[in-house]
């Protein structure tokens, strides 16, 4: 009897999902993680929900690069996202 590992087509890729601490964004983040993507979890105001999602994904051994707070009143997220995604080597390296 052989066991198979589910396909992980997004392994080695990074996904940034805005609003991923709750609702539809959270569901999308969980799905992308199940496909092997490493995630940058974005939230605007509820750090506790974002941390809860990160802990859940880490327990499931799905990749999480970090939490990133930004919203309409936040400073530009560009620098923060660049620093988080720069932590991983390019895909295929």
């Amino acid at each position: 009897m052989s066991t198979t590992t589910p396909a992980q087509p997004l392994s080695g890729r990074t996904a940034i999902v805005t609003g991923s601490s709750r609702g539809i964004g959270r569901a999308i983040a969980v799905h992308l993680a199940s496909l092997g993507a490493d995630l940058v979890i974005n939230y605007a105001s509820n750090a506790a929900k974002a941390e809860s999602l990160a802990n859940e994904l880490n327990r499931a051994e799905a990749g999480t690069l970090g939490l990133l707070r930004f919203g309409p009143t936040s400073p530009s997220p560009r620098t923060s996202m660049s620093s988080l995604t720069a932590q991983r080597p390019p895909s295929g390296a």
Side-chain angles (χ1 to χ4, degrees):
M1 183 173 156
S2 67
T3 59
T4 58
T5 304
Q8 299 234 310
L10 298 180
S11 182
R13 308 284 282 217
T14 301
I16 301 170
V17 182
T18 59
S20 55
S21 67
R22 61 192 187 115
I24 294 170
R26 184 184 190 288
I28 291 169
V30 169
H31 181 69
L32 292 173
S34 76
L35 296 175
D38 291 324
L39 294 174
V40 173
I41 297 172
N42 163 247
Y43 66 100
S45 61
N46 197 327
K49 285 189 177 186
E51 288 173 15
S52 175
L53 175 59
N55 290 335
E56 176 185 330
L57 295 176
N58 287 332
R59 280 191 304 273
E61 297 184 11
T64 304
L65 291 175
L67 303 175
L68 182 61
R69 180 178 185 211
F70 69 88
T73 61
S74 301
S76 173
R78 191 169 300 198
T79 302
S80 298
M81 281 194 279
S82 295
S83 65
L84 281 172
T85 57
Q87 294 175 14
R88 84 170 292 109
S91 184

